[in-house]
Amino acid sequence: MKSLLHYDWPGNVRELENCVARAVTLGDGKTIDVADLPPAIRSEQGDSGIATSQDTSAMSTTALAEMERMTILRVFEQANGDKALAGKMLGISRATLYRKLKRYNIAVKADAAGGSASPQTAPQ
């Protein structure tokens, strides 16, 4: 709560809404933790942001790519295959989502009902 209150919110309500949607999407608990917040907001709290930055810089590019891939899969599942909603939840455009789906070999199969789609990892 302190992190949210101390942040300046230059993007106003839209930025707050996007931040909360991201935290809910990326978080794995029932409550939003500081680690679920974007780096800019975490860094407002001093030490916790510094530790996170050090952890992130220590991760390999491959590990970060795998984390992004898993996040996209999880969000796509939560959005029930809705590409526009998944992109919105991730804070990226639909075009960027398509590029990332292609980059990570995530095949999107249409549901038999024709409505939603679900992501599947394409064979490598």
Side-chain angles (χ1 to χ4, degrees), residues 34-46:
V34 174
D36 301 324
L37 299 174
I41 296 170
R42 286 193 306 250
S43 67
E44 292 291 317
Q45 283 298 297

Side-chain angles (χ1 to χ4, degrees), residues 7-91:
Y7 186 66
D8 192 32
W9 300 107
N12 295 324
V13 176
R14 287 188 183 136
E15 185 179 8
L16 173 61
E17 180 183 29
N18 199 8
C19 172
V20 171
R22 177 188 188 277
V24 169
T25 302
L26 299 179
D28 56 2
K30 290 193 179 229
T31 50
I32 295 172
D33 196 350
V34 174
D36 301 324
L37 299 174
I41 296 170
R42 286 193 306 250
S43 67
E44 292 291 317
Q45 283 298 297
D47 292 338
S48 63
I50 293 168
T52 304
S53 296
Q54 289 172 348
D55 293 343
T56 303
S57 65
M59 294 181 81
S60 71
T61 305
T62 307
L64 289 172
E66 182 61 20
M67 187 184 309
E68 182 178 49
R69 181 184 165 281
M70 295 306 293
T71 300
I72 291 170
L73 282 168
R74 186 174 67 214
V75 169
F76 210 89
E77 219 172 80
Q78 290 174 349
N80 294 318
D82 185 333
K83 294 176 195 90
L85 179 59
K88 194 175 204 177
M89 290 169 71
L90 289 164

